[in-house]
Amino acid sequence: MSMKITDETFKARIQKGLGNEFMRGAVSSAQNSLQGRRLGAAEELGDWEKWRELGEQIRQHVLENLDYYLMELSENVARRGGHVFFAKTKEEASAYIRDIIEKKDAKKIVKSKSMVTEEINMNEALEAIGCEVLETDLGEYILQVDDHDPPSHIVAPALHKNKDQIRDVFKEKLHYDKTSKPEELARFAREVLREKFMEAEVGITGCNFAVANTGSVTLVTNEGNADLVTIIPKTHIAVMGMERIVPTLEDMEILVNLLCRSAVGQKLTSYITTLTGPKDPGDADGPEEFHLVIVDNGRSDILATEFKSVLQCIRCAACVNVCPVYRHIGGHAYGSIYSGPIGAVLSPLLGGYDDYKELPYASSLCAACTDACPVKIPLHELLIKHRQNIVAREGKAPFSEKVMMKAIGMGTGSQTAYKIGSKLAPLATKPLQSDNRITKGIGMLKGWTDTRNLPAPAKEQFRDWMKKRGKEGKDQ
Amino acid sequence: MKVSLFSTCLVDMFYPNVGKATVELLERFGCEVDFPEGQVCCGQPAYNSGYTEDAKKAMKNMIKAFEHAEYVVTPSGSCAYMFKEYPHVFEDEPEWKEKAVQLKEKTYELTQFLVHVLKIEDAGAYLEGTATYHTSCHMTRLLGAKSEPITLLSNVEGLQYVELPHKENCCGFGGTFSVKMGDISGQMVDEKVDCIVSTNADYLVGSDMACLMNIGGRLDRQGNKVKVMHIAEVLNQVPKTKRNEGR
C-alpha cells in the first residue's frame, strides 16, 4: 500500500463515505466509546494538561535537536551490534529492506503494524521479489485477507468493518465456518498466524519510540504480535519515521502514558516492549541480526517550515477519534493512509497538494482535534496554514471561492462598501426568498440550502436601529 | 461603564433582535452602550479560508473602529476569539500588532463580560420551559468560555436546563465549510438536531448566531418547533415593569 489509497475524486469519496451506513455506524459507535475512555484515562492520571505540556516539551526538544539525537541513537544501536540505515526517500528505504531480504534469500516475512512501511510501499517491493509478507496485527490481517482493503484509521485500521463483515471476509477467503463472535474470529486468526510466525525468516516492525541514549526501539501493542515478530525470526528490521525519537527511557515513559491513554483509553496497552539490538550471547531469545531503518521521506523538509509541529505527532489518533468530519465520511474518504485531522495536515506535506489539496478543507475548524492532541499540535491552525498556501502560493483555490472571498474582502475592506453591500443583501436575495426564508439557493449557497433553510436578511439592519434609537431616544 | 458593542455582521444583517437584546441587557446593568459605526466583519471567513491579506483589511478596519473603546463586548464567542487572534495575524507588523494586543485585552464575549466584569450570575430573567444549550466550538475550546452561559441560564427563573447529549460535537457550521462541504456539514447538523430533539427541550439556546443559524436552519427545514434563542434574548426576558430594577 502506498500513501495514496485511491484514484477516485474527493467528491466521489465523500459520497461513498456518506452513503455507507455500515461504516458510519461502526465509526460513530467507536468514536463514542473511545472518547469516553480517553477522557476517563486522562482524568485518572490527574493534571492532564501538565502531562500534555510535558509531552509537547519532549517532542519539541527532540525536533530542535534532531540531528544530535539521530546521531546518538545510531551510535547506540551500532554499539549494541545493530545496523542503522538512513533513507532519504521511500525508494531508498524499501530498496535497503529488499536487499537485506534478497541476500538472505528469505521468502517468509511477518510484520507488525506500521504506518511508515505503508508510506514507503514496502510490502509491494517485497512481494515483487516473491516474498510472502504477512500482516500479523489483527486489523491489518483482516484488510490484507480482504484483497488489500486500505486502512481507514491509523490505530484501528479495520475500524470501518463490523464483525459480520469480518466473518464474511474470513468465510470467503479462508473458508472460515464459525460465527461472528469476536472471540471466535480472533481465535481463528490466531491459529493461522501462529503457524506463520514459526516459519518466518524475517520480522519487520514499526517503531513507536526509539530511545536515543540506549539505542532501543519501543513497540506498543495490545495483541503481542509485535513481540512474536521480533523474537522468532532470525532477523528483525525496525522501520521508523526519523522524528520518532525520545532522548531517554524516562521520556519514553511519559510519552507511552500519553499514547496509550489517548489512543485507546488504557493506562497501558497489554504489551509494551523495549528492544535493544540483536540477542547477546547467552540470551534465550531475540533476533541474531537487527536493522533500524530511519526514514526521512520529506520529513526534514517539513522541519524547516511552519508545519514543523506536525512532527510532534505520536500517531495516537485521538484527533481522528474526536473528528466530526471523520465521523461522517470515514477514513477512506481522505484518500490517504493518514486520515482524520492528522491526515489532512500530514498527507499534503508528504504527498503534495496535487493529490491532497481538498483535505485541509475537510474540517469545520471546530478544534476538537487540537484539544484532544496529547502533544499539543495546533492541528486546526495547521489546516488554516495549508489553506493559506493553497490560496496564495499554489493558486489552487476554486474559482467560486475566490469570487466569494473577493466579495467578502470588498465588503469588509471598507466601511462604505460594507454598508452598501449589507443594504443590498435583502434586495439581492429577494428572488430566492419565500416566506422570509431562503430554501433553494444557487451557486455556493446551494451547499447550504440542500439541507437547511437560510433566513432572509433583516429588513432593518441592527446598525440602523441603533442609529435611530440614538436620535429618537431609548423608549421606542 | 462604557461598552462598545461589536454586533457581528450576522447580527447586524440577519438577527437585529439579538443586537437589541444585547444592548438592553447591558443597559439594564448600568452600561452605556455605543455602536462604533466603522465596524464591519471581523475577517474570520476570509482568514479561515486562507485569504489572509483580504482578512487583514477587515481586521485593520475593526482595530480602528474600536481604538477608543473602553470595553468591547460581542454576543459571539467565535468573533470574540477572532479578535483575540489578531496579534498573531499581525505578527510581522509591529505597529498593528501593538494595537491588536490592546483590542484583544479589552474584548469580551457577552457572557464572560456579564459574569467576570459585571459580576452577574443571575440576570433576573424569567422564561418558562425547558432549554438545552449548544456549546459552540470556538467559544468553548478556543475562547475557554464554558461555565459562564450555563451559570447564567441556570439562574433564569422558570427555566429548566437540560444538557445536550454529545454537546461537544460541532454543529457543522464552520463558516465556508457549511457551503463548501455542504454534504458533510448537512450530516453534522442533522446529528446535532437529533440530539436536540431527544432532549424534548422547548428552547435551543446558544451564544453564537452562526451556529444557531445553522441548527435553526435545519430545524426549520424539518418543520420542527423547537425555538432557537440567543442567550442575550433569554437573559433579556424581563417583564417591562421589572426593567429598571437592575443597577
Side-chain angles (χ1 to χ4, degrees):
Chain A
M1 189 93 30
S2 60
M3 193 170 95
K4 188 176 171 183
I5 58 173
T6 172
D7 287 323
E8 281 177 323
T9 64
F10 183 60
K11 228 177 170 156
R13 282 162 10 216
I14 288 181
Q15 290 312 324
K16 216 172 176 178
L18 291 176
N20 188 342
E21 291 293 328
F22 256 136
M23 179 277 292
R24 288 175 63 186
V27 168
S28 59
S29 75
Q31 274 199 340
N32 293 349
S33 90
L34 283 167
Q35 276 181 46
R37 273 156 56 186
R38 179 178 62 84
L39 293 173
E43 194 177 330
E44 180 196 58
L45 192 60
D47 292 325
W48 182 246
E49 283 310 305
K50 291 233 172 70
W51 280 85
R52 285 178 81 206
E53 277 164 28
L54 209 50
E56 179 191 28
Q57 280 166 17
I58 294 168
R59 295 299 296 138
Q60 284 182 347
H61 171 79
V62 167
L63 295 177
E64 292 294 335
N65 303 283
L66 194 56
D67 51 346
Y68 173 85
Y69 286 115
L70 280 168
M71 190 57 82
E72 188 184 15
L73 172 69
S74 61
E75 279 172 6
N76 284 323
V77 171
R79 195 169 50 80
R80 294 297 299 259
H83 305 273
V84 178
F85 180 73
F86 285 95
K88 185 80 196 141
T89 62
K90 55 185 178 187
E91 290 79 13
E92 276 180 33
S94 50
Y96 175 80
I97 297 165
R98 189 193 58 214
D99 289 350
I100 297 171
I101 289 170
E102 266 186 330
K103 261 186 224 150
K104 297 191 177 308
D105 198 22
K107 292 284 174 237
K108 292 178 194 269
I109 320 292
V110 283
K111 66 175 290 233
S112 66
K113 185 169 159 31
S114 151
M115 295 305 291
V116 71
T117 57
E118 308 224 14
E119 199 185 302
I120 64 172
N121 298 4
M122 187 195 76
N123 287 15
E124 286 80 349
L126 299 183
E127 279 160 6
I129 57 165
C131 293
E132 181 197 47
V133 187
L134 188 80
E135 297 284 352
T136 65
D137 169 85
L138 183 54
E140 291 285 0
Y141 176 67
I142 293 163
L143 298 182
Q144 191 176 40
V145 170
D146 193 17
D147 299 329
H148 301 275
D149 188 18
S152 68
H153 187 280
I154 58 177
V155 170
L159 187 73
H160 56 285
K161 282 188 169 21
N162 65 20
K163 56 187 182 186
D164 294 324
Q165 291 169 313
I166 295 167
R167 178 204 55 206
D168 294 344
V169 169
F170 282 0
K171 205 164 156 181
E172 192 197 331
K173 309 281 179 190
L174 305 170
H175 312 295
Y176 174 75
D177 59 3
K178 297 202 172 66
T179 71
S180 62
K181 263 168 76 178
E183 294 82 356
E184 284 186 9
L185 290 166
R187 189 177 306 123
F188 173 76
R190 189 187 168 115
E191 278 162 16
V192 178
L193 290 172
R194 277 294 151 125
E195 270 180 42
K196 300 284 186 183
F197 276 124
M198 301 316 290
E199 299 168 353
E201 296 154 291
V202 175
I204 300 174
T205 66
C207 166
N208 289 96
F209 302 104
V211 186
N213 78 337
T214 59
S216 314
V217 163
T218 296
L219 298 167
V220 179
T221 76
N222 260 326
E223 297 165 22
N225 60 314
D227 301 76
L228 292 173
V229 170
T230 59
I231 288 169
I232 299 170
K234 285 188 175 166
T235 303
H236 171 205
I237 303 170
V239 191
M240 64 182 273
M242 70 184 276
E243 79 285 11
R244 302 295 289 274
I245 302 185
V246 289
T248 64
L249 287 168
E250 286 76 18
D251 298 316
M252 186 201 79
E253 190 198 333
I254 292 163
L255 288 167
V256 163
N257 251 295
L258 289 167
L259 173 63
C260 299
R261 287 170 200 264
S262 300
V264 280
Q266 289 172 280
K267 279 184 209 173
L268 295 172
T269 53
S270 307
Y271 299 88
I272 292 166
T273 307
T274 296
L275 303 152
T276 311
K279 79 173 181 185
D280 285 330
D283 278 358
D285 50 28
E288 288 169 11
E289 201 176 307
F290 172 72
H291 297 262
L292 181 61
V293 181
I294 302 174
V295 180
D296 184 330
N297 193 30
R299 287 166 172 77
S300 49
D301 295 333
I302 299 173
L303 206 52
T305 68
E306 68 266 45
F307 294 98
K308 182 178 175 181
S309 59
V310 79
L311 297 175
Q312 286 163 220
C313 180
I314 56 173
R315 303 287 189 272
C316 70
C319 61
V320 184
N321 298 339
V322 296
C323 179
V325 171
Y326 179 93
R327 182 180 184 88
H328 292 289
I329 63 175
H332 289 168
Y334 291 79
S336 161
I337 54 166
Y338 296 113
S339 57
I342 184 66
V345 174
L346 195 58
S347 307
L349 293 171
L350 294 177
Y353 286 120
D354 279 343
D355 281 336
Y356 301 107
K357 64 177 180 299
E358 295 96 348
L359 295 193
Y361 296 92
S363 165
S364 62
L365 302 179
C366 76
C369 47
T370 300
D371 218 31
C373 179
V375 289
K376 300 185 79 163
I377 302 171
L379 287 155
H380 76 283
E381 289 176 15
L382 297 182
L383 290 171
I384 297 176
K385 285 188 197 300
H386 269 313
R387 296 176 185 188
Q388 288 168 352
N389 279 351
I390 290 166
V391 170
R393 205 179 329 145
E394 305 281 322
K396 288 194 170 113
F399 180 71
S400 56
E401 182 192 271
K402 275 190 214 158
V403 171
M404 182 164 84
M405 285 303 149
K406 271 287 157 258
I408 294 181
M410 269 163 57
T412 57
S414 93
Q415 196 192 328
T416 325
Y418 175 85
K419 280 188 181 165
I420 295 171
S422 54
K423 288 274 172 301
L424 282 175
L427 201 65
T429 53
K430 194 88 191 163
L432 302 172
Q433 291 179 29
S434 68
D435 203 13
N436 236 4
R437 54 168 74 88
I438 299 167
T439 53
K440 277 202 181 95
I442 48 168
M444 283 192 86
L445 213 52
K446 195 174 173 301
W448 178 284
T449 54
D450 276 347
T451 42
R452 291 152 283 204
N453 295 340
L454 189 69
K459 290 195 180 70
E460 184 190 46
Q461 265 182 271
F462 172 68
R463 63 175 63 219
D464 296 332
W465 177 81
M466 220 31 205
K467 215 172 185 172
K468 221 159 73 188
R469 190 173 184 254
K471 278 184 198 152
E472 296 172 5
K474 291 179 182 175
D475 288 323
Q476 39 165 329
Chain B
M1 191 176 290
K2 283 189 173 167
V3 170
S4 294
L5 180 68
F6 159 29
S7 70
T8 77
C9 40
L10 273 186
V11 166
D12 186 25
M13 290 170 62
F14 289 91
Y15 301 101
N17 288 338
V18 174
K20 294 174 196 174
T22 307
V23 172
E24 288 172 2
L25 182 64
L26 288 168
E27 284 178 351
R28 185 152 57 84
F29 292 109
C31 298
E32 199 181 307
V33 184
D34 77 317
F35 180 86
E37 275 281 307
Q39 62 183 288
V40 285
C41 158
C42 65
Q44 186 171 180
Y47 182 75
N48 281 356
S49 302
Y51 294 76
T52 315
E53 291 313 312
D54 292 302
K56 275 183 176 175
K57 287 180 203 153
M59 291 172 177
K60 285 180 179 172
N61 268 324
M62 291 303 252
I63 290 173
K64 278 189 261 175
F66 290 99
E67 200 156 14
H68 301 294
E70 195 179 323
Y71 287 101
V72 178
V73 175
T74 181
S76 161
S78 185
C79 303
Y81 180 73
M82 192 68 243
F83 271 21
K84 306 263 177 198
E85 278 291 284
Y86 279 15
H88 280 151
V89 180
F90 290 106
E91 203 60 68
D92 299 329
E93 297 175 54
E95 197 187 324
W96 285 101
K97 188 183 171 179
E98 199 186 314
K99 290 179 181 182
V101 170
Q102 286 167 8
L103 178 61
K104 173 185 170 172
E105 282 166 3
K106 63 188 178 187
T107 296
Y108 291 84
E109 179 277 329
L110 176 65
T111 65
Q112 287 193 315
F113 185 74
L114 289 171
V115 173
H116 301 301
V117 180
L118 298 180
K119 310 281 179 207
I120 288 158
E121 298 197 342
D122 182 349
Y126 176 85
L127 181 68
E128 208 171 281
T130 315
T132 191
Y133 179 81
H134 171 63
T135 54
S136 296
C137 301
H138 288 182
M139 172 136 162
T140 48
R141 294 202 185 95
L142 302 179
L143 193 65
K146 292 178 184 163
S147 61
E148 294 87 345
I150 305 302
T151 304
L152 288 160
L153 269 190
S154 306
N155 288 323
V156 173
E157 203 188 326
L159 196 68
Q160 198 197 339
Y161 163 70
V162 273
E163 196 178 281
L164 187 61
H166 299 296
K167 63 179 174 12
E168 66 287 344
N169 282 2
C170 174
C171 72
F173 176 69
T176 52
F177 171 80
S178 60
V179 287
K180 209 171 166 165
M181 302 271 161
D183 290 339
I184 307 173
S185 168
Q187 294 297 318
M188 286 161 72
V189 71
D190 208 33
E191 193 177 10
K192 183 58 72 186
V193 161
D194 286 347
C195 290
I196 293 164
V197 170
S198 79
T199 64
N200 285 320
D202 305 306
Y203 303 100
L204 168 71
V205 183
S207 302
D208 247 301
M209 280 325 294
C211 313
L212 294 182
M213 178 167 82
N214 181 41
I215 302 170
R218 181 66 189 160
L219 284 165
D220 192 36
R221 175 63 57 89
Q222 291 185 342
N224 201 298
K225 298 291 175 222
V226 179
K227 191 158 186 247
V228 179
M229 287 178 91
H230 188 278
I231 192 160
E233 296 176 289
V234 175
L235 300 179
N236 197 38
Q237 297 289 316
V238 183
K240 274 218 161 150
T241 49
K242 280 195 169 181
R243 286 202 180 172
N244 299 320
E245 284 180 11
R247 268 187 258 161

